[in-house]
Amino acid sequence: MPAVVIAKSDDEIADLIDRVRSSPDLDVGLVVPGSSRALQTPLNVRLLAQFSNQSGRRTSIVTEDPRVQQLARVSGLQVYGSVPAFERGIELAGPRMGGASGGRGVASGAGGVAAAAVLEPPPAPPPAPPSLSPPAHAPAPARLEPRRVLTQLPPARPARGWDRRRFLYVAGAVVAILGIILFMALAPSAKVTITIAATPLSVSPTIQGSTSPATASSPDHVLTGVVTSTSSQTFQATPTGTTTLPALAAKATLTFTTDATTDISFALPANNPSSDVKSADQSVTFSPAKSAVICIGPANPPPPGACAGSPYNAQAQYVDQTPAASGNVDAGTLTLWPGDPCPDPIACPGIHIGVTNGNPASGGADPKQVTAASATDVANWKAQVSQIENALGAQIQTDLQSKAAGKTIAKDPTGNGEAISYSGAKPALPAVNAPFTATSITVAAAAQASIYDPIAVRNAVIADLDKLVKPGDELAPGRLSTPPCAVTQANDAGTVVLACSATDFSQPTVNLNTLKAHLTGRTPGSAQGIVESNIAKVQGVTVSEWPFKLFYLPLRASQIEIDENFVVISTKSP
């Protein structure tokens, strides 16, 4: 069976060839719309004819475009005026050669479908009438050319009257659609107010929070958490005052020795010239820093019980009598002891006691002027520490809120539940007029707080309300009241106690979407019965429409609003 391939208006010649190539049958009827430009040039038509010949296909052109028909016929392609003509094999005839013996093709069809038909040659013209001699005064008539006979009728143009009717039809449809849209947009909306007998409910539970998941799963318990934050800030403390440091006395450790054959002990009382030790040139004099008892002998330490029970001790701390840097003498300088009792042959017959400083004396200093913290410096630094602590506190609060991630920080009336501590100035600030050099001071703060999820708390309260709902009833939507819970007790380790309350109504179960669907398009007077058939314990139904009233409710459920009121009265079950 011949295949019919329909071309598109925007197809190129390559697209037409591809369509013919993909045809399942070798006998192809290519339907070319009048708006197509692919076959408007002789070259494109020859390309199509050449492809058909080479591929062994019989390609026919089905079109009403006279130019395409002419070009296809010249290229050797069969031409049909319509698809029915192609299917019946009624080819559209072209012009014949030979003047009067030529023919013409006429397109005809039934039911709006044009079919091509071959016209018979036109009949012979009637015999010419006898010639009449015109009057002498009349001019000779002009010679008429023979009338040309069309061998092919052009495509019929639609009548103008049909165009006007189509325009009127389209305009009427547009007006109707606009009217429907305007009516739907401007149609009034309805509000149905329903009064239902309901039971008021109220609870006042105490909700406890814990960081333990096991404990938090119990009724009236919620899971809490702990968040922490630390922060620090540093500033430079530069002193502006000065002070004079006094001279410092040098210190040294003196070691005593003896060549006695027995143990010997002696006292070195403080503030006693007999205890002073000097340098060999007597330019420096050191005195005991405190009273001491020296116990030495040939064996050090001496055996128990020696020196009249005094412990072994060969050294004593000495201080330069004149504070100055000159007291920092070298080791082995302090060797002269004027108060040595042993040179006395009566007190110490044949005994000698030696003394020396095994290490250099140190710590001696001359007076000098240094930078110091003035009273203004210390006051400014204390104020700066206070400002930094306030800034750190605000920064830590923001950080805690961020780490809480939408949860609430628990804080009881006494402020427990959140703890912020400050380390103060590190290092510590100096006293007024104390020597001080420029130093970096660091102030640090740390905080810890307990957090809870208010949604979890609210759900726990609603769960308590649900326990009071009667079978077959539900909590009235939109009537739940849950004031914020108050934290009555908390610590920063996650323990939280909250006092909560909630109120609502227990009402018969209502499916508002189903009810709206039942009310759409119904009369306002039937609303009472429709509502009562869907909801139990209905006490009254009121219908109002805006901005104007109709004899029916809106056709769309979205334009119907249902408002529920509740009355606390005793009603019998329906």
Side-chain angles (χ1 to χ4, degrees):
M1 180 179 180
V4 177
V5 178
I6 300 176
K8 295 183 179 180
S9 300
D10 56 351
D11 279 349
E12 300 293 339
I13 184 60
D15 300 324
L16 298 183
I17 293 175
D18 287 341
R19 293 184 185 279
V20 173
R21 181 188 292 114
S22 60
S23 172
D25 198 280
L26 295 178
D27 193 358
V28 181
L30 179 61
V31 181
V32 181
S35 58
S36 175
R37 296 294 179 264
L39 297 180
Q40 292 292 333
T41 62
L43 175 61
N44 289 349
V45 178
R46 286 198 300 271
L47 289 175
L48 179 60
Q50 183 180 0
F51 166 75
S52 299
N53 294 332
Q54 292 178 352
S55 60
R57 299 177 183 271
R58 295 184 297 277
T59 303
S60 302
I61 302 299
V62 181
T63 182
E64 295 181 356
D65 190 334
R67 176 174 175 81
V68 176
Q69 292 175 354
Q70 179 65 24
L71 293 176
R73 188 178 295 108
V74 171
S75 298
L77 299 175
Q78 294 179 338
V79 180
Y80 295 88
S82 65
V83 174
F86 169 71
E87 292 175 345
R88 298 172 186 171
I90 304 175
E91 184 178 356
L92 188 64
R96 296 179 180 175
M97 306 300 294
S101 61
R104 61 189 179 93
V106 180
S108 63
V113 179
V118 179
L119 295 181
E120 295 295 331
S131 60
L132 297 177
S133 298
H137 63 275
R143 183 179 178 182
L144 297 177
E145 294 290 334
R147 196 172 78 178
R148 297 181 180 179
V149 179
L150 294 176
T151 61
Q152 182 176 346
L153 293 178
R157 295 183 59 188
R160 295 176 60 85
W162 185 87
D163 285 343
R164 293 194 188 97
R165 287 196 302 272
R166 184 172 64 175
F167 173 77
L168 292 176
Y169 295 154
V170 172
V174 171
V175 171
I177 293 174
L178 290 177
I180 295 174
I181 294 175
L182 290 175
F183 177 78
M184 297 297 291
L186 300 178
S189 58
K191 180 178 181 180
V192 180
T193 302
I194 305 172
T195 303
I196 304 175
T199 303
L201 306 176
S202 64
V203 291
S204 299
T206 297
I207 306 299
Q208 299 184 20
S210 172
T211 56
S212 170
T215 303
S217 62
S218 304
D220 291 337
H221 283 72
V222 294
L223 185 65
T224 59
V226 177
V227 291
T228 60
S229 178
T230 58
S231 185
S232 63
Q233 188 172 336
T234 301
F235 71 95
Q236 189 74 8
T238 303
T240 60
T242 58
T243 187
T244 301
L245 295 178
L248 299 178
K251 296 180 180 180
T253 300
L254 301 186
T255 302
F256 292 87
T257 59
T258 182
D259 55 1
T261 57
T262 60
D263 298 317
I264 184 172
S265 66
F266 51 87
L268 296 174
N271 301 321
N272 191 323
S274 64
S275 302
D276 296 343
V277 177
K278 299 180 180 182
S279 60
D281 58 2
Q282 301 187 19
S283 61
V284 178
T285 301
F286 277 67
S287 299
K290 61 180 181 179
S291 297
V293 174
I294 301 300
C295 176
I296 53 178
N300 293 317
C307 302
S310 297
Y312 166 74
N313 180 32
Q315 294 181 338
Q317 299 297 321
Y318 271 68
V319 180
D320 188 3
Q321 290 184 351
T322 304
S326 58
N328 298 326
V329 296
D330 296 333
T333 303
L334 303 175
T335 58
L336 179 59
W337 182 21
D340 181 4
C342 288
D344 185 354
I346 299 176
C348 302
I351 298 175
H352 176 70
I353 297 176
V355 63
T356 187
N357 57 317
N359 296 308
S362 61
D366 296 328
K368 63 178 179 179
Q369 192 177 52
V370 295
T371 58
S374 65
T376 302
D377 294 337
V378 175
N380 290 339
W381 295 338
K382 289 182 178 179
Q384 196 164 357
V385 169
S386 179
Q387 292 175 359
I388 291 176
E389 289 179 348
N390 293 335
L392 292 178
Q395 181 178 344
I396 281 181
Q397 286 285 352
T398 301
D399 189 41
L400 290 177
Q401 291 290 349
S402 176
K403 292 181 178 179
K407 297 183 180 180
T408 302
I409 295 178
K411 234 177 175 182
D412 64 18
T414 60
N416 294 327
E418 179 184 83
I420 300 179
S421 60
Y422 301 94
S423 65
K426 298 291 183 181
L429 298 178
V432 176
N433 294 328
F436 192 73
T437 58
T439 306
S440 294
I441 304 296
T442 300
V443 180
Q448 181 169 303
S450 296
I451 58 174
Y452 66 92
D453 187 357
I455 296 178
V457 174
R458 185 174 182 270
N459 291 338
V461 176
I462 295 175
D464 291 337
L465 276 176
D466 283 331
K467 296 176 182 178
L468 304 179
V469 177
K470 298 178 180 179
D473 285 5
E474 65 178 357
L475 290 176
R479 299 293 176 173
L480 176 64
S481 174
T482 53
C485 298
V487 179
T488 60
Q489 183 179 348
N491 60 28
D492 58 6
T495 300
V496 181
V497 179
L498 303 102
C500 304
S501 63
T503 59
D504 203 340
F505 289 89
S506 175
Q507 67 161 42
T509 303
V510 180
N511 189 327
L512 296 181
N513 293 330
T514 302
L515 182 59
K516 289 180 181 180
H518 289 166
L519 291 172
T520 53
R522 307 298 291 273
T523 62
S526 63
Q528 175 88 27
I530 295 174
V531 172
E532 290 180 348
S533 64
N534 286 271
I535 306 176
K537 303 179 183 179
V538 175
Q539 305 300 307
V541 178
T542 303
V543 179
S544 60
E545 292 182 278
W546 183 90
F548 54 86
K549 292 184 178 180
L550 292 174
F551 62 90
Y552 60 90
L553 293 174
L555 301 177
R556 292 185 298 172
S558 60
Q559 292 180 289
I560 299 177
E561 177 187 357
I562 297 180
D563 185 22
E564 297 177 271
N565 289 332
F566 304 96
V567 292
V568 184
I569 59 175
S570 298
T571 59
K572 62 180 181 178
S573 301

